Amino acid sequence: MPAGGAVAVVVPNYNKARTLRACLESIYAQTHQPTEVIVVDDQSTDDSPTITHDFPCTLITQPTNTGPAAARNTGARHTTAPLLFFVDSDTALHPDAITNALHTLHTTPHTGMVQGIYAPTPSTTTDPSSATASPSNTSGDDAASDGRGRRRSSPPR
């Protein structure tokens, strides 16, 4: 496997207009830039699909509301990158989240997938009364799996 890696980020979205912009900003601020970003809208009734127009991402709209798992699968079917990075539309990534995931994937033998964790304390909060609420922050720390359900800790940073 190459040292870097072409990574597609797939973002399932349903009615997350209040957090989608911060999510996409965090994706485009990554130290390892994704090859493509695909937002799969699951028939939102808010303005979240229009937010994607401010970013160089691909927007796919589900024909019916089928849930986040189906939206992730739709995004995976439409990507051309060999590696997938899923992030929910109410989550913001640490700037090195993709870099850390790739490092773990490439340096941990027999790793079949890498899973991130949330930071113990969000960097921002989602206040229901605020129009500028932001997503919680994903730490970029990773745990790897060997593809058989066994977890491995990430290397120290």
Side-chain angles (χ1 to χ4, degrees), residues 101 104 113-117 141-145 151:
T104 300
M113 57 94 48
V114 177
Q115 176 180 329
I117 60 171
D141 292 333
D142 302 301
S145 167
R151 288 182 57 140

Side-chain angles (χ1 to χ4, degrees), residues 16-29 51 55 88-93 124 132-136:
K16 296 295 183 186
R18 295 174 61 178
T19 57
L20 182 59
R21 179 173 304 283
C23 174
L24 290 171
E25 287 172 350
S26 76
I27 292 167
Y28 286 104
I51 292 168
F55 297 89
D88 291 339
S89 56
D90 63 351
T91 304
L93 299 173
T124 56
T132 59
S134 298
S136 58

Side-chain angles (χ1 to χ4, degrees), residues 10-14 40 42 62 65-74 86 88:
V10 175
V11 182
N13 178 68
Y14 179 70
V40 182
D42 201 23
Q62 295 281 73
N65 179 279
T66 54
R72 287 183 192 97
N73 289 337
T74 296
F86 296 103
D88 291 339

